[in-house]
Amino acid sequence: MPPIIERVTDLETRPAPPLLRRAAPALLGYAAVRALGLVVLALWSAARDKSALTLLSARWDSLWYSRIADLGYGYEVRLPNGDVHSNLAFFPLLPWLERAVSAVTPLSPAHAGLLVSTVASLAAAWGIFAVADHVHGRRVGVCAVLLWAVLPVGIVQSMAYSESLFTALAAWSLYAVLTGRWVTAGLLASLAGLTRPVGLAVVAALWATAIASFGRIGRSTASHGAPAWPRALGMLLAPLGAAGYVLWVGHRTGKGPLGYLDIQAGWRNGFDGGYAFARFVVGKFTSFPSALAGVGLLVGVGLIAWLYVVCVRQGQPLPLLVYAGVVTALALCASSYFGSKPRLLMPAFPLLLPLARALAGARVPRSAWILGGVAVASAVYGAFWLNGTGPP
């Protein structure tokens, strides 16, 4: 966590309380939403004779992460169609943390992953608040955190997955960029790059902002009169995490610097500009029931595109636009795991800021009723989803 327990200034440049105390309403609201989701999941799972704890800690990607924490890299599954699923596809920071927590507590790696994810989700909520508060003020910050909490797939924030950890590192790196802490931003971007391949988005945001500041562009995100070397050092540090892991995979597999792409190909995952996803959506219109899902997908993609356009029109700072744009592009243009798109989009929290601004501008009772209703719907959907297909 960056050194952020200090006094900052609000939009009127008056002294503000320490950032943690300032974020307290957002964090309490976030914790309440996540608690609601867990209670509904526990009740739903019990009714189906399933363990909510197992659903959260020992299914899908959670199993891969905990196996890496327990046994290291080198495990793979060969499917009947010839595909090879290697655990080298999973970046190492989460399993490292699971192993560390498991070593000093009685927790298994899987349960340690839940603890890491829980702490990381609170850090992510705090980081989202810090960014939104810095750009639009405290009330928007609170609304942004609550909107992130009530996303339809928000239950993933409580799973032993890497989304919460990545979002925490990304949000605080972006906050560091916005406040001119370039070295801190670079270190956090490097850690984000050790967490998920989409760490590229954090690197791109930092690099774009630093380059713009060198060229005397985007002065609102640069440090006026600050020496150039912190920005240069931040740019140097930012890609080291992702680059280091990708190069290590290439060396381990003997396939060279781009060997990681072969690992992803074994999972039938890659970047095709959205062609496979477009075919998937079009294929939904072959029959009436599935056509409704196709319409829903088109509406969802259209909403995401509209939100990004609104972000641009509202003048969001350059690092937020670059970060959200890259996360969105990588999520929508990946060639496989179409059911994972909502989960992969979850770290793109700047897309929520226009909605947060609208909620912040409404009367408190109205905003509370809207967020409360969506929170209940999200909790029910998360329990239904996780007891069914869940996050592939």
Side-chain angles (χ1 to χ4, degrees):
M1 188 62 61
I4 53 173
I5 309 301
E6 60 184 22
R7 293 199 172 273
V8 294
T9 56
D10 60 18
L11 296 179
E12 290 82 18
T13 69
R14 293 175 298 185
L19 189 53
L20 179 57
R21 181 150 53 93
R22 188 173 174 84
L27 297 180
L28 290 173
Y30 177 80
V33 172
R34 292 275 38 87
L36 173 64
L38 293 175
V39 169
V40 173
L41 174 65
L43 294 174
W44 193 298
S45 301
R48 295 173 60 90
D49 292 324
K50 292 184 178 182
S51 167
L53 184 63
T54 299
L55 292 176
L56 292 169
S57 65
R59 292 184 75 187
W60 304 291
D61 289 7
S62 300
L63 286 174
W64 288 90
Y65 283 121
S66 62
R67 186 178 286 117
I68 294 169
D70 194 26
L71 302 173
Y73 284 104
Y75 177 80
E76 62 184 29
V77 175
R78 294 184 177 270
L79 304 184
N81 65 358
D83 290 344
V84 178
H85 288 185
S86 168
N87 65 0
L88 289 168
F90 296 88
F91 276 47
L93 186 56
L94 178 58
W96 284 350
L97 293 174
E98 289 179 345
R99 182 183 302 172
V101 172
S102 182
V104 299
T105 68
L107 298 175
S108 67
H111 293 163
L114 277 184
L115 178 60
V116 171
S117 182
T118 299
V119 174
S121 68
L122 289 169
W126 189 10
I128 292 169
F129 171 84
V131 170
D133 178 37
H134 179 82
V135 176
H136 294 301
R138 186 182 190 184
R139 193 167 178 181
V140 175
V142 173
C143 291
V145 169
L146 295 177
L147 284 171
W148 192 68
V150 302
L151 288 174
V153 293
I155 191 66
V156 174
Q157 298 164 19
S158 299
M159 297 179 68
Y161 269 49
S162 61
E163 273 76 11
S164 290
L165 179 60
F166 173 78
T167 305
L169 294 167
W172 283 110
S173 180
L174 292 171
Y175 179 73
V177 170
L178 290 169
T179 55
R181 297 171 171 89
W182 295 97
V183 177
T184 298
L187 288 170
L188 291 171
S190 185
L191 290 174
L194 280 171
T195 308
R196 297 185 62 83
V198 75
L200 171 66
V202 191
V203 177
L206 188 152
W207 273 59
T209 310
I211 291 171
S213 68
F214 280 130
R216 299 182 181 277
I217 302 173
R219 288 179 175 268
S220 63
T221 60
S223 297
H224 298 288
W229 70 263
R231 274 168 277 176
L233 181 56
M235 293 176 69
L236 177 65
L237 291 171
L240 293 184
Y245 180 69
V246 168
L247 292 175
W248 178 81
V249 170
H251 174 74
R252 180 184 174 103
T253 59
K255 296 182 179 180
L258 300 181
Y260 182 78
L261 298 180
D262 290 337
I263 297 296
Q264 285 282 17
W267 287 78
R268 299 213 170 196
N269 200 14
F271 187 87
D272 64 359
Y275 174 73
F277 184 46
R279 288 188 59 187
F280 174 77
V281 174
V282 171
K284 291 293 183 181
F285 289 91
T286 56
S287 63
F288 173 73
S290 63
L292 296 178
V295 172
L297 289 170
L298 289 177
V299 171
V301 172
L303 175 62
I304 291 167
W306 174 77
L307 285 174
Y308 189 78
V309 170
V310 174
C311 289
V312 174
R313 289 179 174 175
Q314 290 183 348
Q316 274 192 20
L318 178 62
L320 302 188
L321 293 176
V322 173
Y323 169 76
V326 175
V327 171
T328 301
L330 291 176
L332 295 182
C333 296
S335 59
S336 188
Y337 296 99
F338 305 117
S340 294
K341 301 294 185 187
R343 172 170 65 87
L344 299 178
L345 284 165
M346 192 164 56
F349 68 88
L351 294 179
L352 298 174
L353 295 187
L355 299 177
R357 291 184 67 181
L359 275 175
R363 293 183 177 180
V364 173
R366 183 178 182 183
S367 298
W369 276 107
I370 292 173
L371 287 169
V374 177
V376 171
S378 175
V380 172
Y381 177 74
F384 167 78
W385 185 55
L386 205 53
N387 275 274
T389 58

